[in-house]
Amino acid sequence: MKSIRLIAFTMLALLLPVLCAQAADPLPSWNDRPARKAIIEFVQATTDKASPKFAPPEDRIATFDQDGTLLVEHPMYMQVVYCLEQVPALAAKKPELKNMEPFKTVLSGNREAIAKLTTKDLEQIFAATITGITVDEFNAEAKKWIETARHPRWNRLYTELAYQPMLEVLQYLRANGFKTYIVTGSGQDFVRVYSERVYGIPPEQIVGSIGVTRFGYDKNGRPTLTMEPGILLGDVDAGKPEGIHMMIGRRPTIAFGNSAGDQQMLEYTRAGEGARLALLVMHDDAEREYAYGPAQALPDTRIGAFTQALYDEAKENGWTVISMKNDWKRIFPFEK
Amino acid sequence: MKSIRLIAFTMLALLLPVLCAQAADPLPSWNDRPARKAIIEFVQATTDKASPKFAPPEDRIATFDQDGTLLVEHPMYMQVVYCLEQVPALAAKKPELKNMEPFKTVLSGNREAIAKLTTKDLEQIFAATITGITVDEFNAEAKKWIETARHPRWNRLYTELAYQPMLEVLQYLRANGFKTYIVTGSGQDFVRVYSERVYGIPPEQIVGSIGVTRFGYDKNGRPTLTMEPGILLGDVDAGKPEGIHMMIGRRPTIAFGNSAGDQQMLEYTRAGEGARLALLVMHDDAEREYAYGPAQALPDTRIGAFTQALYDEAKENGWTVISMKNDWKRIFPFEK
């Protein structure tokens, strides 16, 4: 009996490190390929005091684009869907909008016509649907929508369509002393409504497009903040490093994007001294998600383009390209 | 022998809690008066899960005005001094400024004339001295100045003139899970240069007046951020709650100010649900620091006024007024 126990114990002792190593795999949804390796080597080098690439904790700033990098952006950005779906309620309050463009088109429900709305049309819809209300009212309305609206393809809440491999990266970086930020063209206030729950990122770590808010007093003399038309920061392209400077005041050490709107953020990140990693998520998995950008042209041009030029810049400058098809074992948390 | 040891041990055991309590006094530079009591009771109530005033850690946002609240603001705001002292170097580079107002007045060294410069004059000086350079250049210049420039009255570095009792409050709040922010009319980038060292507050937790920065590429093709004329946020008065919403996205639970420029921040803080504390530092100690506001009118009107009206609002709305003279045992860290 004793010898059997001893053998069992010895085997367990020998197996334990293996079991622990498996349990501690920080990126279980990633295939063992160069992208995974680049992330892990970067984290190991920047957190190892003996490494020449060591970064003190205060320099460990990680920035992530949202739409298409952390979350499905097809067929439309989540916040665009939100604004379009607010139009019927708005038209009920303001019937004069029913015969005015672009509201008339939105109310028609004609998907093809809606897909053809211009950026200017969309801006007009944004201004009408998310301004003129208080910050508290906006938060309540957005929260309600986010908890009920579903993506047509998966029939899942939009917030369920965050990419499992990227959620693992967020957690892995935080476990290693990185402060994680979202740097998004979507509205800062919109993303803040669910960022803590979905990504574990608090409101103050969301850098997004920023509208004007105005302090004042309501009819009861209570101080209020009202959302007004006007943009303080358009957080795309050059606006991303500008927004990062404004909101964080430090250059990222690692940054993730997926489109031309992230180019400047990735360049700015890489231009810093010491170890810097820039990564691009490439949508090349038509079966499990979508294929667009250099992988396959899609007709909808409103989705920030991952152009061939960007792909070439990535290759030339040592950015890491993540292939959803090849690098990710699974795409969504709800997949087993 | 044994009995003596026992007595000594018993005495030590009895004394230990007393000694520990003394060692753990979180606000040793505060006299035992209502202001100290209000702060401690607020922290105890918001961190005690059994209290109806309990605030979960994510709601524990503490905001502090800087000039006059955390640091001496007389006879001029630190950043105003900085900009004025940059003028000679600027005029050496651009000699045409020597005969142009307001630069001519600044170069004259005539203190009375300098004290009479208008806000518009100062804005012109700000635009000339802190724009047209990269963010990195600005940081280096400001850092150099901060490490050498001295306040004329104490012949100490300006950053040595932070108030010891307020440094204790910052630390006490952080030890109790509060996230501490500075919300200042001074330039965000300026305060960020020394905030971590002086206050233990990292750059991303500085909400200040924000100038325009522009992303571009230098002659070597390296991405740069350049400071440009133009203001994105004037972080005084209504700009403070607006800036808090933009940068933090949450309403403070506790806020400290010292002037009319902090009124809206304090109102906004108090208007939130649950426990909220608003405090005003009153400068009534002409001997150890300065006396102005309701305590004593000073001729220089550029220092944000702590008016009688603000004092009355504080009393009416249950804000806590801190008397530097009566509430603070010592003013500066270098005083023993």
Side-chain angles (χ1 to χ4, degrees):
Chain A
M1 270 301 283
K2 253 191 184 171
S3 64
I4 290 172
R5 272 199 200 154
L6 191 69
I7 290 166
F9 182 80
T10 309
M11 278 177 69
L12 191 65
L14 286 169
L15 272 170
L16 214 57
V18 180
L19 292 168
C20 285
Q22 278 182 347
D25 177 2
L27 301 174
S29 299
W30 290 71
N31 284 315
D32 190 14
R33 285 171 37 86
R36 181 183 191 279
K37 207 176 154 209
I39 296 168
I40 288 179
E41 282 183 357
F42 174 82
V43 169
Q44 287 174 343
T46 51
T47 55
D48 174 4
K49 276 192 181 163
S51 161
K53 293 182 175 176
F54 177 74
E58 64 268 24
D59 287 346
R60 296 183 202 156
I61 302 291
T63 58
F64 294 79
D65 168 60
Q66 180 190 245
D67 299 272
T69 299
L70 292 178
L71 187 91
V72 171
E73 64 181 352
H74 255 290
M76 274 192 282
Y77 296 134
M78 180 175 166
Q79 194 183 5
V80 173
V81 182
Y82 170 73
C83 288
L84 293 176
E85 294 194 359
Q86 298 304 104
V87 171
L90 185 72
K93 273 189 235 165
K94 298 183 181 177
E96 68 273 20
L97 295 180
K98 288 180 185 167
N99 293 311
M100 271 174 64
E101 289 296 354
F103 305 98
K104 198 176 160 184
T105 296
V106 177
L107 291 166
S108 75
N110 180 336
R111 286 195 180 195
E112 266 180 57
I114 291 169
K116 281 181 191 151
L117 291 174
T118 64
T119 303
K120 219 182 142 192
D121 290 333
L122 289 178
E123 281 172 4
Q124 208 181 329
I125 294 163
F126 288 180
T129 53
I130 64 178
T131 68
I133 54 176
T134 68
V135 163
D136 293 341
E137 285 164 350
F138 172 79
N139 286 345
E141 275 180 19
K143 189 165 183 286
K144 207 171 94 185
W145 185 84
I146 286 157
E147 288 171 357
T148 51
R150 285 170 182 271
H151 191 286
R153 175 167 163 188
W154 288 274
N155 193 31
R156 294 263 179 185
L157 298 181
Y158 283 89
T159 51
E160 289 183 88
L161 301 174
Y163 304 132
Q164 174 63 25
M166 295 304 287
L167 296 176
E168 291 167 7
V169 170
L170 286 169
Q171 208 159 5
Y172 176 48
L173 287 171
R174 287 196 291 264
N176 283 281
F178 284 80
K179 207 161 174 178
T180 53
Y181 286 85
I182 290 175
V183 180
T184 173
S186 285
Q188 184 163 287
D189 286 329
F190 184 76
V191 178
R192 280 171 166 173
V193 171
Y194 56 83
S195 61
E196 177 81 61
R197 179 173 57 79
V198 175
Y199 306 117
I201 299 180
E204 62 269 29
Q205 284 161 232
I206 307 301
V207 182
S209 292
I210 305 176
V212 172
T213 58
R214 194 69 66 198
F215 178 84
Y217 304 90
D218 68 14
K219 57 181 192 240
N220 303 316
R222 193 169 177 273
T224 53
L225 284 172
T226 306
M227 303 178 88
E228 299 208 340
I231 294 287
L232 275 179
L233 174 74
D235 197 35
V236 290
D237 305 328
K240 290 211 171 190
E242 290 162 8
I244 287 169
H245 177 70
M246 181 168 93
M247 297 286 296
I248 312 176
R250 293 170 172 174
R251 194 191 297 259
T253 34
I254 179 168
F256 294 76
N258 83 306
S259 81
D262 303 313
Q263 179 194 334
Q264 290 85 346
M265 171 172 77
L266 298 175
E267 289 173 347
Y268 178 63
T269 299
R270 286 280 292 181
E273 289 171 14
R276 308 277 167 171
L277 194 61
L279 303 99
L280 272 172
V281 174
M282 183 163 68
H283 294 259
D284 57 358
D285 194 331
E287 199 182 313
R288 294 188 300 171
E289 204 239 11
Y290 296 99
Y292 51 103
Q296 185 181 319
L298 271 187
D300 189 334
T301 54
R302 259 206 311 286
I303 299 301
F306 182 162
T307 57
Q308 188 63 43
L310 187 68
Y311 188 80
D312 294 343
E313 182 174 357
K315 288 290 160 193
E316 199 172 311
N317 296 317
W319 303 355
T320 299
V321 175
I322 299 164
S323 158
M324 291 179 76
K325 188 172 179 176
N326 300 317
D327 283 312
W328 290 357
K329 284 184 193 162
R330 59 172 177 159
I331 309 282
F332 302 114
F334 55 80
E335 295 169 347
K336 292 294 161 195
Chain B
M1 270 302 283
K2 253 191 183 168
S3 64
I4 290 172
R5 272 199 200 150
L6 191 69
I7 290 167
F9 182 81
T10 308
M11 278 178 68
L12 192 66
L14 287 169
L15 272 170
L16 214 56
V18 180
L19 291 168
C20 285
Q22 280 183 343
D25 177 3
L27 301 175
S29 298
W30 290 71
N31 285 315
D32 191 14
R33 285 172 35 87
R36 181 182 190 279
K37 208 176 155 211
I39 296 167
I40 288 179
E41 283 183 357
F42 174 82
V43 169
Q44 287 174 342
T46 51
T47 55
D48 174 4
K49 276 193 181 162
S51 159
K53 293 181 175 176
F54 176 74
E58 64 268 25
D59 287 345
R60 295 183 203 157
I61 302 291
T63 59
F64 294 80
D65 168 61
Q66 179 190 244
D67 299 272
T69 299
L70 292 178
L71 187 89
V72 170
E73 64 181 352
H74 256 289
M76 275 192 282
Y77 296 134
M78 180 175 166
Q79 194 183 5
V80 174
V81 182
Y82 170 73
C83 287
L84 294 176
E85 294 194 0
Q86 299 303 104
V87 171
L90 184 72
K93 273 189 234 162
K94 298 183 181 177
E96 68 274 19
L97 295 180
K98 287 179 185 167
N99 291 311
M100 269 175 65
E101 289 297 356
F103 305 98
K104 198 177 161 182
T105 295
V106 177
L107 291 166
S108 76
N110 179 337
R111 286 194 180 195
E112 267 180 55
I114 291 170
K116 280 180 192 151
L117 291 173
T118 64
T119 302
K120 218 181 144 193
D121 290 333
L122 289 177
E123 281 173 3
Q124 209 181 328
I125 294 163
F126 288 179
T129 53
I130 63 177
T131 67
I133 54 177
T134 67
V135 163
D136 292 341
E137 286 164 349
F138 172 80
N139 285 346
E141 277 181 18
K143 190 166 182 286
K144 206 170 94 185
W145 185 85
I146 285 157
E147 287 171 359
T148 52
R150 285 169 183 271
H151 191 287
R153 175 166 163 187
W154 288 275
N155 193 31
R156 294 264 179 184
L157 299 181
Y158 284 88
T159 50
E160 288 182 88
L161 300 175
Y163 305 132
Q164 175 62 26
M166 295 303 288
L167 296 176
E168 292 167 7
V169 170
L170 285 170
Q171 209 160 4
Y172 176 48
L173 287 171
R174 285 196 292 263
N176 283 281
F178 284 80
K179 206 161 175 178
T180 54
Y181 287 85
I182 290 177
V183 180
T184 173
S186 284
Q188 184 163 288
D189 285 329
F190 184 76
V191 178
R192 281 171 166 173
V193 171
Y194 56 83
S195 63
E196 177 81 59
R197 179 174 56 80
V198 175
Y199 306 116
I201 299 180
E204 61 269 29
Q205 284 161 233
I206 306 302
V207 183
S209 291
I210 305 175
V212 172
T213 58
R214 194 68 66 201
F215 178 84
Y217 304 90
D218 68 14
K219 58 181 191 239
N220 302 316
R222 192 169 176 271
T224 53
L225 285 171
T226 306
M227 302 178 88
E228 299 208 341
I231 294 288
L232 275 180
L233 175 74
D235 197 35
V236 290
D237 305 327
K240 289 211 173 189
E242 290 161 9
I244 287 169
H245 177 70
M246 181 167 94
M247 297 286 294
I248 312 176
R250 293 169 173 176
R251 195 191 295 260
T253 33
I254 178 168
F256 294 76
N258 83 307
S259 81
D262 303 312
Q263 179 194 336
Q264 290 85 346
M265 172 173 76
L266 299 175
E267 289 173 347
Y268 178 63
T269 299
R270 285 281 291 181
E273 289 172 15
R276 308 277 167 171
L277 194 61
L279 303 98
L280 271 173
V281 174
M282 185 163 65
H283 294 260
D284 57 357
D285 195 331
E287 201 181 311
R288 295 188 299 170
E289 204 239 11
Y290 296 100
Y292 51 103
Q296 184 181 320
L298 271 188
D300 188 335
T301 54
R302 258 208 310 288
I303 298 301
F306 182 161
T307 57
Q308 188 62 43
L310 187 67
Y311 188 79
D312 295 343
E313 182 174 355
K315 288 290 160 193
E316 198 173 314
N317 296 318
W319 303 356
T320 299
V321 175
I322 299 164
S323 158
M324 291 180 76
K325 188 174 179 175
N326 300 317
D327 284 313
W328 290 358
K329 285 184 192 163
R330 60 172 178 159
I331 309 282
F332 301 115
F334 55 80
E335 295 170 346
K336 291 295 162 197

